[in-house]
Amino acid sequence: MVKPPTARSAIPSVGRLGLLEASAPEELAALGWVNTESVDLLWSLSRAANADLALRTLVRLRDGLGDDWAELDAALRGDSTLRGRLLGVIGASSAFADHLAADPTGWRLLLGDKGLPSRKQLTDELLESVQAVPDGSASPTNLIYRAGITGPAAVAALRKTYRDQLMVLAAADLAAVVENEPVLPYQTVGHQLSDLADAALTAALSVAVATIYPDQQCPARLAVIAMGKCGARELNYVSDVDVVFVAEPSDASTSRLAGELMRIGSSAFFDVDAALRPEGKRGELVRTLESHVAYYKRWAKTWEFQALLKARPATGDLELGQRYFDALNPLVWTASERDDFVTDLQAMRRRVEEMVPAELREREIKLGRGSLRDVEFAVQLLQLVHGRADESLRVQSTIDALTALAAGGYVGRDDAANLTASYEFLRLIEHRLQLQKLKRTHTLPPADDEEGLRWLARAAHMRPDGRTDSLGVLNAEIKRNALRIRRLHAKLFYRPLLESVARLDKDAIRLSPDAATRQLAALGYTAPENALGHLKALTGGASRKGRIQALLLPTLLEWLSDTPDPDAGLLAYRRLSDAMVDADWYLRVLRDEGAVAQRLMIVLGSSAYIPDLLIKAPDVLRLFADGPNGARLLDVDPDEVARGILASSARYDDPGRAVGAARSLRRHELARVASADVLGMLDVPQVCRALSSVWAAVLGAALDAVIRASEVERGEPAPASFAVIGMGRLGGGELGYGSDADVLFVCEPLPGQDEVRAVKWANTIADRVRKLLGAPSTDPPLEVDTGLRPEGRNGPVVRTLASYQAYYRQWAQAWEVQALLRAHTVAGDPDLGLRFLRMIDETRYPEGGVSEQAVREIRRIKARVDSERLPRGADPATHTKLGRGGLADIEWTVQLIQLRHADEVPALHNTSTLETLDAIGAAELMSETDIELLREAWLTATKARNALVLVRGKPSDQLPGPGRVLAAVAQVAGWNSADAGEFLDNYLRVTRRAKAVVERVFGGQ
């Protein structure tokens, strides 16, 4: 007998809760959390960063609280805020878990919704822990207190109170990981930690006063200046606190006072470091204000002024501290006038990079490549350079400085926003790393430490995204943000004008070739020596054009650095500039029209197809500007272009010159369309329509010119009317950049003309048209393909209308009928073309649909195409034309439905694949879901195919494997993510789904 399925228990199992320890069931039972009333508690526990650690800590709290455990248990059941805070902090930090286990009643600190304590509340709490009272000279601006407890007891009391307050903040910071609690902004956490550090220094100073001056009032004025992250109010959970001491007077007594403060603070809270004082660790610990000022005016190095950017009075005599700030801060903003200012900072940056062992550089989020220091260093450099003239930049925190730099126009708003987001993300990761064991660390766990990384991911509130788990999301986010910082950091640093801004004269030091090469490599140039040669050529000489180029290039290079191939882009820009050397408007437009310059760099750095077109059609550059209605690249009407091509070529009697005029306008239009495509201004149907229109116009211009020349040569009118029928993608208005023009030539003898002579003349016309258009050229080719004519390549190139009719009625094969579905008049006599289309309607839209025998034949041919036509070595998964779910699959499927149903659904009388798909959906011949899958695949494959040509400069159907070319194709295809692998994954996913539809619809009906 089969047992009925067991109902799923309402109480989640330890496995579902993510508990891995074998003792978990017993521990849950010990807590009394194994009933339905505890389900909410259990799910909250499961969301802790390390659920096993949290559970183990709860058991320790129960053991420590004894009878008082019931109070905590009840509070956890009824207060989700407490639940989030407690489980958040004990699941993310083994250090705070131990801290609470040592004093289980400390959980009550996490109760309530009063918000975070103020700086005054923190100060009062810490002072009270050592029974401190105001010293005789204490005032609102002189935070001098005298502790009632000194020695080891004071240190223990301060450590406990400080750790309690740190836990309160960490619990609020981590609560959102477990419960639906507000997320604390990064700046709020940094401000709170800095306020806590100020309060801690104030309490440590009170103990130092009582220790050094046990029997008298403190006789000296001592100001404690916070530096570094504490000065900027962006402190970490575990960090050194950098300080500088100013005293009046400066003597042995005040040195002892400062030293005792450092000893107590370092024992109770964090390392108190005075190494940023004048002369560093070799200098006097305490100086007078006058001594400080004298040192900075005469001896200080560039890095010391950079350190002063973040100076802030923290405690002690705040009035003296403010005087210190007021005296030295102006010197910071003149530092950029110093000799070797930029080179000093660059040397310091290199020293910082060299401090990180090579094996840790990819795991080091503070000092490695794409790290926190990259952001801080770039921001501080820009502050120092521009802050002299712009006081809005004189702020201390990195985030505030980025905001000010963006507001002042020194950094792009998008760049500032991206840097801010990446900086805050890495600071969050840094905080979570430090909270695990309350250790000062900035290094990610090694790749093989999956447990540590998963703990970090959950503590950082990473959640699965549907494709990967929380650990995968963490790794992807770390990689993405580090890459973004590296790119933006290099972009901000490529500022040759920094030297001139810093020195403000024409003799500013120029980067050495080695330094310039390193700089260009950082910007993404794979051949920096070649790039340097291009820069020298562009700016060489004393000409006005060279000087303008020198002004333009910093910005142009920044934009080029964002493109897939900066090296090729810079070479193309040099070639274009050389070709435009006599065009006065060229550099003026680039200088005065920022949109033109930026769009040009994107195009040149993205496409090998466009540069030659622009060199020969430079007027297109004017269209890169914005007009009243947006980019002028979109102001052009393809139909107007077609009429212009026909009109322009009609002015010439010589067919060669007429076709040359048509080619010139085609070149202009191709450059316009391709540029707009790369810039993301045109969608796939717009691109295809424009390319088809210009192709048809050139074909029509060539035909008209050849017929006119023939009439002149013969001395009499043409003996026949002549029409060109577009087939394939040309007929469907869906040409791509690499497509040939499939055509049929049809003629009809005029009344009174001999048919044999007329057809012979028509063949001559067709041959001359094909030769003229197919003549060698540096332009993209104009290949006219007549392979779809009756009898294929064995049949006559030109037939009369009657001959076509007789053939299609008697001899048409299944593939020829299918090919006619996309037949459309594109050039020549429109009346003849229309009569041809009406004549073939009975063949391509047969009454009752095509026979089952024809359907079987079409399926057989398709199977043969799939097995034989795919090029050797091609990957069927990523071949855009013949691959699985590619263009051929979608088009054959659509055409089979047309052949079977067009007689009963007039809307299927359409040569466009996309429009026919709409008609199929409207007639409910396929589900809307299937229609969307086929549409998406067709658009995706066409976009990818066009992008391949734009990137490589030549026709191609095969997507490349991972690498730079794929990244370029992804970017040109409009893929927003920097990860080209995601583009490829999306292509495979879209085409795979389409292939399933094709197999069901094409193969199953």
Side-chain angles (χ1 to χ4, degrees):
M1 177 178 176
V2 178
K3 294 182 179 180
T6 304
R8 192 170 190 176
S9 172
I11 304 172
S13 66
V14 292
R16 290 175 65 198
L17 294 173
L19 294 166
L20 304 178
E21 296 291 340
S23 57
E26 295 179 7
E27 291 171 339
L28 289 173
L31 295 178
W33 289 12
V34 290
N35 47 39
T36 55
E37 290 78 12
S38 303
V39 169
D40 287 346
L41 288 172
L42 293 172
W43 285 123
S44 294
L45 176 66
S46 74
R47 292 189 289 271
N50 186 330
D52 286 295
L53 172 63
L55 176 58
R56 189 163 58 250
T57 305
L58 287 169
V59 172
R60 295 170 70 191
L61 289 176
R62 189 211 61 168
D63 293 342
L65 288 168
D67 293 340
D68 292 335
W69 163 252
E71 180 186 359
L72 173 56
D73 184 67
L76 287 171
R77 293 176 185 276
D79 187 343
S80 63
T81 298
L82 172 66
R83 199 158 63 230
R85 292 174 183 173
L86 180 62
L87 296 180
V89 76
I90 63 175
S93 173
S94 60
F96 280 127
D98 291 341
H99 178 71
L100 267 174
D103 179 15
T105 60
W107 69 267
R108 294 188 177 90
L109 293 169
L110 308 183
L111 283 169
D113 55 358
K114 302 184 294 297
L116 296 173
S118 67
R119 175 175 169 173
K120 183 179 185 307
Q121 290 172 320
L122 292 170
T123 303
D124 290 347
E125 191 80 18
L126 281 158
L127 288 173
E128 184 180 342
S129 70
V130 288
Q131 302 173 15
V133 296
D135 196 45
S137 60
S139 71
T141 60
N142 192 16
L143 305 181
I144 299 296
Y145 295 84
R146 177 179 297 275
I149 303 173
T150 59
V155 170
L158 289 174
R159 181 185 298 118
K160 171 67 167 61
T161 305
Y162 177 81
R163 190 64 64 90
D164 281 345
Q165 293 303 323
L166 198 63
M167 179 184 69
V168 168
L169 173 60
D173 193 9
L174 289 159
V177 174
V178 173
E179 296 291 345
N180 187 24
E181 292 294 309
V183 175
L184 286 188
Y186 155 73
Q187 286 188 288
T188 298
V189 176
H191 290 173
Q192 193 72 12
L193 287 166
S194 301
D195 287 348
L196 180 57
D198 288 355
L201 291 173
T202 302
L205 180 57
S206 76
V207 178
V209 167
T211 302
I212 303 302
Y213 307 111
D215 302 319
Q216 66 179 97
Q217 177 180 316
C218 178
R221 302 180 65 188
L222 180 70
V224 182
I225 310 297
M227 307 286 282
K229 283 187 168 60
C230 186
R233 300 192 73 214
E234 51 188 17
L235 197 60
N236 296 329
Y237 277 99
V238 185
S239 175
D240 291 351
V241 171
D242 296 304
V243 297
V244 169
F245 296 107
V246 189
E248 300 290 350
S250 172
D251 54 22
S253 174
T254 51
S255 290
R256 287 176 57 212
L257 180 63
E260 186 65 11
L261 181 155
M262 291 178 63
R263 186 190 68 80
I264 295 166
S266 297
S267 300
F269 315 124
F270 36 69
D271 287 337
V272 182
D273 192 342
L276 294 180
R277 65 185 183 268
E279 300 181 81
K281 294 182 178 180
R282 296 172 300 175
E284 295 291 335
L285 182 60
V286 174
R287 286 177 181 255
T288 63
L289 176 57
E290 182 181 1
S291 176
H292 275 288
V293 172
Y295 173 84
Y296 280 101
K297 284 185 174 180
R298 186 172 183 181
W299 303 109
K301 295 180 173 58
T302 300
W303 70 264
E304 293 178 282
F305 290 105
Q306 185 179 6
L308 282 175
L309 271 171
K310 298 186 181 297
R312 173 182 63 84
T315 191
D317 193 323
L318 299 181
E319 189 274 333
L320 178 59
Q322 189 61 44
R323 285 171 52 203
Y324 169 92
F325 178 85
D326 293 340
L328 294 184
N329 190 253
L331 301 181
V332 173
W333 309 111
T334 61
S336 60
E337 298 174 355
R338 297 164 58 90
D339 292 339
D340 300 325
F341 164 70
V342 173
T343 52
D344 276 355
L345 292 183
Q346 290 173 338
M348 184 175 69
R349 175 62 190 158
R350 285 194 296 273
R351 286 195 297 271
V352 169
E353 290 174 348
E354 291 166 0
M355 290 170 57
V356 184
E359 65 273 14
L360 294 181
R361 284 178 186 166
E362 295 304 316
R363 292 168 48 205
E364 174 61 59
I365 62 173
K366 179 179 179 181
L367 302 177
R369 296 181 65 239
S371 67
L372 294 166
R373 186 58 56 88
D374 277 342
V375 180
E376 293 163 356
F377 193 80
V379 168
Q380 290 166 26
L381 178 56
L382 291 172
Q383 280 184 277
L384 289 170
V385 171
H386 298 295
R388 181 172 42 134
D390 188 343
E391 294 187 5
S392 70
L393 303 182
R394 300 181 184 183
V395 295
Q396 290 156 327
S397 90
T398 303
I399 301 302
D400 291 343
L402 271 169
T403 302
L405 285 165
Y410 305 104
V411 174
R413 292 187 182 275
D414 286 345
D415 291 343
N418 286 329
L419 271 178
T420 297
S422 291
Y423 183 76
E424 291 188 354
F425 172 78
L426 290 185
R427 289 301 302 271
L428 170 69
I429 297 302
E430 181 183 40
H431 286 176
R432 297 301 182 259
L433 281 170
Q434 294 178 347
L435 281 173
Q436 284 184 346
K437 298 181 180 179
L438 281 187
K439 298 291 185 182
R440 184 186 175 202
T441 181
H442 319 281
T443 306
L444 295 167
D448 58 358
D449 183 5
E450 185 172 328
E451 181 182 351
L453 284 167
R454 197 171 299 281
W455 185 3
L456 175 61
R458 290 170 62 85
H461 210 180
M462 297 291 138
R463 290 293 183 260
D465 63 358
R467 292 180 301 169
T468 184
D469 61 8
S470 59
L471 178 53
V473 172
L474 173 69
N475 288 330
E477 282 298 296
I478 290 173
K479 181 180 179 181
R480 183 177 70 86
N481 283 281
L483 180 64
R484 183 160 67 176
I485 288 174
R486 285 202 296 269
R487 180 175 59 81
L488 290 174
H489 176 262
K491 180 177 177 181
L492 295 176
F493 257 83
Y494 189 87
R495 298 279 188 181
L497 56 85
L498 284 181
E499 295 270 5
S500 59
V501 170
R503 296 185 60 86
L504 292 179
D505 64 45
K506 64 182 180 181
D507 298 321
I509 295 175
R510 298 183 64 184
L511 291 174
S512 68
D514 287 345
T517 299
R518 287 194 299 270
Q519 201 88 316
L520 287 164
L523 282 165
Y525 291 86
T526 58
E529 296 84 359
N530 294 343
L532 188 59
H534 299 324
L535 296 180
K536 289 178 179 177
L538 285 163
T539 59
S543 68
R544 180 172 178 270
K545 286 184 171 62
R547 291 195 299 273
I548 295 175
Q549 289 280 22
L551 291 173
L552 288 172
L553 277 167
T555 304
L556 300 185
L557 287 167
E558 287 181 2
W559 286 325
L560 266 181
S561 69
D562 285 331
T563 65
D565 195 344
D567 296 87
L570 183 56
L571 172 60
Y573 178 67
R574 178 182 174 181
R575 292 176 57 223
L576 180 61
S577 296
D578 289 344
M580 300 292 289
V581 68
D582 295 325
D584 293 336
W585 60 269
Y586 168 66
L587 290 178
R588 184 172 64 251
V589 167
L590 294 183
R591 181 191 64 198
D592 299 339
E593 297 278 356
V596 173
Q598 184 173 14
R599 288 165 180 164
L600 177 61
M601 293 306 105
I602 293 171
V603 165
L604 295 181
S606 303
S607 172
Y609 179 87
I610 300 175
D612 285 335
L613 293 172
L614 288 177
I615 289 171
K616 294 180 180 180
D619 284 346
V620 175
L621 289 174
R622 299 180 188 273
L623 300 181
F624 280 43
D626 285 324
N629 301 316
R632 293 180 59 205
L633 284 166
L634 303 181
D635 286 348
V636 180
D637 181 357
D639 292 336
E640 287 291 333
V641 172
R643 287 191 287 270
I645 289 174
L646 291 169
S648 176
S649 62
R651 293 197 290 266
Y652 299 97
D653 294 329
D654 178 63
R657 296 186 66 188
V659 170
R663 280 182 179 275
S664 177
L665 292 177
R666 172 183 180 256
R667 187 183 307 129
H668 187 284
E669 179 68 353
L670 285 181
R672 179 192 74 85
V673 172
S675 297
D677 192 2
V678 168
L679 294 169
M681 298 176 181
L682 295 175
D683 61 23
V684 170
Q686 289 173 319
V687 170
C688 293
R689 281 195 296 271
L691 294 176
S692 302
S693 174
V694 72
W695 226 124
V698 173
L699 191 54
L703 177 63
D704 291 349
V706 169
I707 291 176
R708 287 197 308 271
S710 172
E711 289 177 332
V712 171
E713 183 181 325
R714 288 164 49 87
E716 60 182 358
S721 56
F722 195 104
V724 181
I725 308 300
M727 303 289 282
R729 286 185 171 76
L730 176 61
E734 296 170 342
L735 280 182
Y737 296 105
S739 301
D740 293 340
D742 292 306
V743 300
L744 299 179
F745 293 123
V746 58
C747 71
E748 186 170 56
L750 294 175
Q753 296 290 333
D754 179 72
E755 181 174 325
V756 174
R757 291 179 64 247
V759 172
K760 183 177 179 181
W761 171 85
N763 273 284
T764 302
I765 296 299
D767 287 343
R768 293 187 68 185
V769 168
R770 293 169 68 192
K771 287 178 182 178
L772 276 172
L773 294 179
S777 170
T778 56
D779 290 346
L782 284 161
E783 295 292 339
V784 177
D785 191 340
T786 58
L788 293 179
R789 65 186 183 268
E791 302 178 77
R793 306 204 180 272
N794 296 321
V797 173
V798 183
R799 287 176 181 260
T800 64
L801 182 62
S803 175
Y804 275 111
Q805 185 175 37
Y807 178 86
Y808 285 132
R809 283 181 174 177
Q810 188 170 0
W811 305 107
Q813 299 180 48
W815 70 267
E816 292 174 307
V817 176
Q818 182 182 356
L820 289 176
L821 290 171
R822 307 191 79 178
H824 188 75
T825 306
V826 295
D829 188 303
D831 178 66
L832 176 59
L834 181 59
R835 285 188 289 127
F836 177 88
L837 297 181
R838 287 174 176 170
M839 178 271 293
I840 64 171
D841 279 352
E842 66 180 40
T843 301
R844 59 180 174 175
Y845 309 133
E847 185 176 350
V850 295
S851 67
E852 285 304 312
Q853 180 182 354
V855 170
R856 288 193 296 272
E857 176 65 10
I858 289 171
R859 288 172 175 161
R860 185 191 66 78
I861 295 172
K862 178 64 167 65
R864 184 177 174 185
V865 168
D866 289 345
S867 63
E868 297 179 4
R869 293 280 301 278
L870 195 69
R872 179 176 298 177
D875 183 351
T878 54
H879 195 276
T880 58
K881 182 179 179 181
L882 301 174
R884 293 191 291 267
L887 295 173
D889 272 349
I890 282 72
E891 290 165 359
W892 281 64
T893 301
V894 168
Q895 290 160 18
L896 181 60
I897 294 174
Q898 285 181 282
L899 291 171
R900 304 186 75 170
H901 301 285
D903 68 309
E904 59 193 33
V905 182
L908 296 181
H909 298 189
N910 198 311
T911 61
S912 163
T913 302
L914 291 182
E915 292 176 10
T916 304
L917 272 172
D918 290 337
I920 291 170
E924 298 183 351
L925 299 174
M926 286 176 63
S927 72
E928 192 57 40
T929 299
D930 287 348
I931 293 288
E932 280 306 309
L933 291 174
L934 294 183
R935 183 198 317 280
E936 184 182 10
W938 191 91
L939 290 170
T940 300
T942 302
K943 185 70 173 175
R945 192 180 189 219
N946 282 343
L948 277 166
V949 180
L950 290 172
V951 169
R952 288 182 157 170
K954 57 186 178 181
S956 178
D957 296 312
Q958 179 66 61
L959 285 175
R964 191 162 187 161
V965 176
L966 179 64
V969 170
Q971 187 165 325
V972 170
W975 191 252
N976 293 324
S977 170
D979 186 352
E982 292 182 9
F983 164 78
L984 192 58
D985 289 344
N986 179 71
Y987 180 90
L988 293 171
R989 181 168 55 253
V990 168
T991 53
R992 183 175 62 250
R993 292 172 178 171
K995 184 64 175 179
V997 177
V998 169
E999 289 176 343
R1000 177 162 31 85
V1001 175
F1002 182 85
Q1005 290 188 344

